[in-house]
C-alpha cells in the first residue's frame, strides 16, 4: 500500500490523510487505556471489533438522518470518514447512574435517572477531561450557544437510537460518550457526530444478568474484554455466532425476548 500521511496518533486510533480532500482514514488500534492513559494494554482484536461496531452504529445513524462523519468501512481496521473541525468536548449522555456520576453525586450505580442527563467534559488529557458547564463552553469559545443546542439535540437522538438498538438485543444502554465536529458549508457549520461509538465509549449491561459488556471489564478487571465486545458484535448480528464462522453466514441481530 502506498505510504500515507499520518495526521494524528491518539490512544486508541490513528488518523491518516484520506484519498480525497476533506476525508480521513480512521485506523482502530488494539491499544486499550484506562485512567486517562495511566493503564495501557494491547488487547488483540479490539480494534477490529470497534471498527465493525462503530461502522454499524454510525451507518444506522446516517440512515435515520442523524449526521455523522462516517462514509464507509475500508477494511478490518479502517474506515473512511469526513474530516471535521473537532469541538474539544466529550458529550456524555446518562440513562442510569454509573461511574464518575455515581461517585460524584453518591447515587448508587444502576439507579434509573428521571430523564436522560447530558454532561460536557473538556477534552484535555493533561487536565484529566474536567466536567464543564455551558457557561464555560461559551465564555471560552469552545462552542457557541447554537452549537450547544445542536449538540444536545444530536446527543438525544443518538441516545434514542442506541437505546432501541441495544434493547432489541437484550442490552441496557447505561451511558455513552460522543464527540462532535463541524463541517462547513459556506458560512454555515453543520454539527456531526465524529470519532467512534463502540463498547469503549458506552456502558452496556446485559438486561437479564447485569453482565458488563463494555470497557468497564478492562477498567475494573472483570475478565476478557474481547469476549465482552465479541458478544456485543454477535448480538448485533455483525459477527458470526460461535460455530458459524463460515463466510456468507452473516446474520441479522439476535433477538432477545
Ligand atoms: P485520543 O485523542 O483521546 O487519544 P483517539 O486515539 O481515539 O483518542 O484518537 C482519535 C482522534 O481523532 C481524537 O482526538 C478525535 O477527537 C479525532 N477525530 C475523530 N473523528 C475525527 C474527524 N472526523 N475529523 C478530525 N478528527 C477526528
Ligand atoms: N467515556 C469515554 N471516554 C472518556 C470518559 C468517559 O468514552 O474519556 C464514556 C464511558 O465509557 C462511559 C461514559 O463516557 O460510557 C461516562 O463515563 P464516566 O464519566 O462515568 O467516567 P468513568 O467512570 O469512566 O471515569
Amino acid at each position: 500500500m502506498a505510504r500515507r500521511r499520518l495526521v494524528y496518533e491518539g490512544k486508541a486510533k490513528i488518523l491518516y490523510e484520506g484519498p480525497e480532500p476533506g476525508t480521513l482514514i480512521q485506523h482502530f488500534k488494539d491499544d486499550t487505556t484506562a485512567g486517562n492513559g495511566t493503564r495501557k494494554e494491547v488487547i488483540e482484536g479490539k480494534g477490529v471489533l470497534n471498527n465493525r461496531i462503530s461502522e454499524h452504529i454510525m451507518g444506522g445513524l446516517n440512515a435515520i438522518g442523524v449526521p455523522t462523519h462516517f462514509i464507509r468501512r475500508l477494511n478490518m481496521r479502517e474506515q473512511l470518514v469526513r474530516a471535521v473541525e473537532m469541538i474539544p468536548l466529550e458529550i456524555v449522555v446518562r440513562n442510569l447512574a454509573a461511574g464518575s456520576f455515581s461517585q460524584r453525586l453518591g447515587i448508587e450505580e444502576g439507579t434509573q435517572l428521571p430523564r436522560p442527563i447530558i454532561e460536557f467534559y473538556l477534552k484535555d488529557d493533561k487536565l484529566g477531561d474536567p466536567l464543564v458547564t455551558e457557561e464555560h463552553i461559551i465564555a471560552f469559545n469552545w462552542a457557541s450557544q447554537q452549537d450547544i443546542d445542536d449538540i444536545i439535540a444530536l446527543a438525544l437522538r443518538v441516545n434514542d437510537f442506541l437505546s432501541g438498538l441495544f434493547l432489541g438485543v437484550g442490552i441496557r444502554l447505561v451511558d455513552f460518550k460522543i464527540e462532535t465536529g463541524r463541517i462547513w458549508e459556506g458560512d454555515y457549520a453543520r454539527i456531526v457526530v465524529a470519532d467512534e461509538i463502540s463498547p469503549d465509549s458506552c456502558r452496556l449491561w446485559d438486561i437479564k444478568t447485569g453482565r458488563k459488556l463494555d470497557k468497564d471489564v478492562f477498567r475494573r478487571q472483570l475478565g476478557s474484554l474481547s469476549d465482552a465486545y465479541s458478544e456485543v458484535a454477535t448480538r448485533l448480528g455483525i459477527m458470526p455466532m460461535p460455530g458459524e464462522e463460515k463466510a456468507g453466514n452473516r446474520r441479522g441481530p439476535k433477538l432477545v425476548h
Side-chain angles (χ1 to χ4, degrees):
M1 193 188 290
R3 276 180 74 84
R4 296 177 302 193
R5 199 174 75 79
L6 183 127
V7 175
Y8 173 84
E9 175 154 10
K11 296 187 291 294
K13 299 190 287 299
I14 306 173
L15 298 179
Y16 297 100
E17 216 167 58
E20 286 118 38
T23 64
L24 291 169
I25 293 168
Q26 186 166 241
H27 176 106
F28 288 74
K29 302 192 285 184
D30 286 340
D31 297 4
T32 311
T33 60
N36 199 13
T38 49
R39 223 179 106 224
K40 184 172 161 182
E41 255 175 60
V42 175
I43 297 181
E44 208 180 316
K46 190 204 68 151
V48 173
L49 287 160
N50 279 352
N51 185 26
R52 294 296 296 268
I53 295 170
S54 199
E55 169 199 17
H56 186 73
I57 292 173
M58 296 279 188
L61 288 170
N62 285 342
I64 62 161
V66 176
T68 82
H69 71 159
F70 179 78
I71 300 173
R72 67 172 183 278
R73 186 167 61 82
L74 297 172
N75 56 49
M76 295 285 273
R77 287 193 182 270
E78 294 176 334
Q79 46 184 246
L80 185 66
V81 300
R82 293 186 68 176
V84 308
E85 182 184 293
M86 288 304 292
I87 294 173
L89 298 171
E90 297 197 342
I91 300 109
V92 170
V93 182
R94 301 181 185 273
N95 298 305
L96 305 184
S100 71
F101 183 89
S102 287
Q103 283 179 356
R104 193 179 318 115
L105 300 179
I107 299 176
E108 196 186 341
E109 281 212 322
T111 307
Q112 174 91 40
L113 300 172
R115 46 173 271 187
I117 293 181
I118 299 183
E119 297 173 336
F120 299 101
Y121 294 84
L122 179 65
K123 200 171 151 54
D124 186 328
D125 282 346
K126 286 196 294 299
L127 298 177
D129 297 344
L131 182 69
V132 293
T133 68
E134 292 190 26
E135 288 280 300
H136 298 131
I137 295 169
I138 291 164
F140 296 115
N141 220 10
W142 297 320
S144 67
Q145 183 65 60
Q146 183 62 57
D147 289 339
I148 294 175
D149 293 347
D150 291 351
I151 290 170
I152 290 173
L154 211 52
L156 290 174
R157 289 189 75 191
V158 174
N159 188 41
D160 284 347
F161 174 78
L162 282 185
S163 295
L165 180 77
F166 285 121
L167 191 62
V169 295
I171 294 173
R172 171 98 55 222
L173 177 67
V174 174
D175 58 30
F176 65 94
K177 180 265 303 184
I178 54 169
E179 296 183 23
T180 57
R182 298 183 189 92
I183 293 180
W184 287 93
E185 285 153 10
D187 286 342
Y188 173 75
R190 197 155 60 101
I191 308 272
V192 306
V193 180
D195 202 58
E196 72 181 293
I197 303 180
S198 73
D200 266 10
S201 55
C202 301
R203 278 202 171 89
L204 304 170
W205 295 353
D206 181 84
I207 283 181
K208 283 198 188 131
T209 65
R211 178 184 165 202
K212 295 187 197 318
L213 297 169
D214 57 62
K215 202 171 156 186
D216 274 348
V217 172
F218 175 75
R219 293 191 192 100
R220 303 180 188 189
Q221 296 175 289
L222 300 174
S224 160
L225 190 75
S226 46
D227 282 0
Y229 287 22
S230 298
E231 176 71 24
V232 173
T234 304
R235 287 203 200 177
L236 290 173
I238 54 184
M239 298 273 282
M241 307 281 281
E244 293 183 345
E245 280 88 0
K246 279 208 319 283
N249 249 340
R250 272 181 81 198
R251 300 160 54 101
K254 180 183 160 196
L255 291 176
V256 176
H257 304 287

